[in-house]
Amino acid sequence: MNNVIEQMLTKYEIKNTNDEINALKEIIQEIVLAGLSRSNFFDEVAFYGGTALRIFYNLDRFSEDLDFALIQPNKDFDLSKYFVYVKKELKAYGINLEIKTKQKNIDSNITSALLKGNTLEHILKFFPNEEKHKYDHILKDLKIKFEIDINPAIGATYDFKYKLLPNPHQIKLYDKESLLAGKIHAILCRGWKTRTKGRDLYDYIFFLATDTKVNIELLKNKLIESKYINKNDNFDIDNLKKLLIQKFNEIDYKEAKEDVMPFIKNIDSLNIWSKEFFVNITQNLK
């Protein structure tokens, strides 16, 4: 095994196959970010979403995708020109993944790419002392999606963060206030009807527990863009709390819990989830 990967694995508590796959995906995510940082990618793009929150702000759950947003809208943004940096970085650590742009089925502000490779091959590369037969049930390819919003709502504010592994690099990303705005937008606007993504709720609790204030300007612009509110609507923290409380009264919490369980260690922390719980903690939103 590569010494750097071995070093990166030391921060994980590995107890089962699910833990191994989560660690594998996250290390690959960090290697991809390091590769992108070698280019001028973060001159025009910022990292955001659940993976940004975990890697740079210590969220205690795993996240599957890499989400980015342009600093300035650019309908002609070409994601594929950065693939060479990603491939070179992955290859340096012995990781064999294909990367391809996903074709849009509809007119969208999101440009996507998919990293894909053999799950078993990489599990055995990261955990060479394991026995192959343990993983006979792993038939699906390893997949990591990344998406870039090429026409983002205005109002985001940013941080610069540094990482030492897999090699020293700098990342530009949304600050916590802007990440919270994005997370609340997801809670309100994901098109899942009552099937709210449990990962969104888990992250929402994390933000409130760390006393994060919401970037209200960014959130308003994102809600207008999604046609959830109108441009001339009154929108302040009290209006926002009312919208969230209405949402929390509609959610199927059993399904929300099932969504987040594979990504967290302490599933007992979900026992308290209910509409009463989320309505109550929302009073602390600032």
Side-chain angles (χ1 to χ4, degrees):
M1 190 199 310
N2 183 286
N3 288 338
V4 172
I5 288 177
E6 192 169 6
Q7 190 176 355
M8 293 175 78
L9 279 169
T10 59
K11 71 178 181 180
Y12 297 96
E13 184 182 4
I14 307 293
K15 292 184 176 180
N16 52 48
T17 304
N18 193 56
D19 291 343
E20 290 179 347
I21 293 174
N22 282 332
L24 167 65
K25 285 184 176 180
E26 187 164 282
I27 288 173
I28 291 173
Q29 289 169 345
E30 295 199 54
I31 292 171
V32 169
L33 290 170
L36 290 171
S37 74
R38 292 183 185 275
S39 68
N40 64 347
F41 186 77
F42 291 106
D43 292 346
E44 53 182 336
V45 180
F47 188 29
Y48 78 108
T51 308
L53 192 59
R54 174 170 172 83
I55 292 175
F56 291 100
Y57 296 107
N58 301 315
L59 174 69
D60 61 339
R61 76 159 178 91
F62 288 96
S63 182
E64 290 185 305
D65 304 327
L66 295 168
D67 298 304
F68 305 93
L70 294 185
I71 310 301
Q72 299 293 334
N74 178 6
K75 287 285 189 179
D76 298 319
F77 178 80
D78 181 11
L79 175 59
S80 64
K81 69 182 181 181
Y82 296 102
F83 289 177
V84 63
Y85 297 95
V86 173
K87 289 178 181 177
K88 184 176 180 180
E89 200 74 20
L90 291 169
K91 187 176 180 180
Y93 296 98
I95 296 171
N96 305 308
L97 296 178
E98 296 180 0
I99 181 169
K100 292 182 179 179
T101 303
K102 292 184 67 180
Q103 297 301 314
K104 295 181 183 179
N105 295 322
I106 56 173
D107 185 29
S108 169
N109 289 331
I110 303 298
T111 293
S112 302
L114 191 67
L115 281 163
K116 186 168 74 171
N118 183 281
T119 305
L120 181 57
E121 172 193 342
H122 292 89
I123 283 283
L124 297 178
K125 188 169 289 182
F126 277 46
F127 304 97
N129 295 324
E130 298 283 23
E131 297 179 13
K132 183 175 179 178
H133 69 81
K134 283 181 58 180
Y135 304 96
D136 288 343
H137 64 289
I138 301 177
L139 301 176
K140 294 181 180 179
D141 285 335
L142 174 69
K143 294 179 182 178
I144 296 174
K145 181 173 65 175
F146 53 109
E147 297 187 335
I148 300 183
D149 188 343
I150 60 174
N151 188 30
I154 62 172
T157 45
Y158 307 98
D159 270 343
F160 289 92
K161 297 284 187 178
Y162 296 89
K163 293 284 286 186
L164 296 178
L165 293 173
N167 51 63
H169 59 279
Q170 182 192 62
I171 303 291
K172 185 173 187 176
L173 69 163
Y174 278 25
D175 61 16
K176 284 181 73 176
E177 292 77 9
S178 297
L179 287 171
L180 176 53
K183 190 55 58 176
I184 292 174
H185 174 263
I187 290 171
L188 294 174
C189 294
R190 283 196 199 273
W192 291 21
K193 297 184 179 179
T194 58
R195 280 190 59 223
T196 297
K197 203 171 185 179
R199 282 163 275 181
D200 291 336
L201 299 184
Y202 193 87
D203 298 354
Y204 179 71
I205 295 169
F206 171 83
F207 282 116
L208 293 186
T210 53
D211 204 29
T212 305
K213 296 179 181 179
V214 62
N215 180 336
I216 200 81
E217 178 189 0
L218 175 60
L219 178 55
K220 180 179 181 180
N221 291 332
K222 287 177 75 69
L223 292 173
I224 291 169
E225 185 183 72
S226 298
K227 297 182 171 54
Y228 193 86
I229 63 173
N230 297 315
K231 187 174 182 179
N232 296 324
D233 287 349
N234 290 326
F235 187 76
D236 57 19
I237 194 67
D238 293 325
N239 299 127
L240 173 57
K241 288 178 180 179
K242 289 176 183 177
L243 292 174
L244 282 166
I245 288 168
Q246 180 180 339
K247 186 68 175 181
F248 291 141
N249 277 290
E250 300 170 352
I251 288 171
D252 184 325
Y253 289 98
K254 181 177 182 293
E255 287 189 344
K257 292 176 187 179
E258 290 171 352
D259 172 75
V260 76
M261 281 180 183
F263 303 97
I264 63 175
K265 292 285 188 182
N266 180 19
I267 62 173
D268 290 340
S269 66
L270 307 178
N271 292 340
I272 198 171
W273 283 23
S274 65
K275 67 179 182 181
E276 292 81 10
F277 170 68
F278 280 98
V279 167
N280 185 275
I281 66 172
T282 296
Q283 305 307 323
N284 298 321
L285 182 63
K286 300 173 184 174

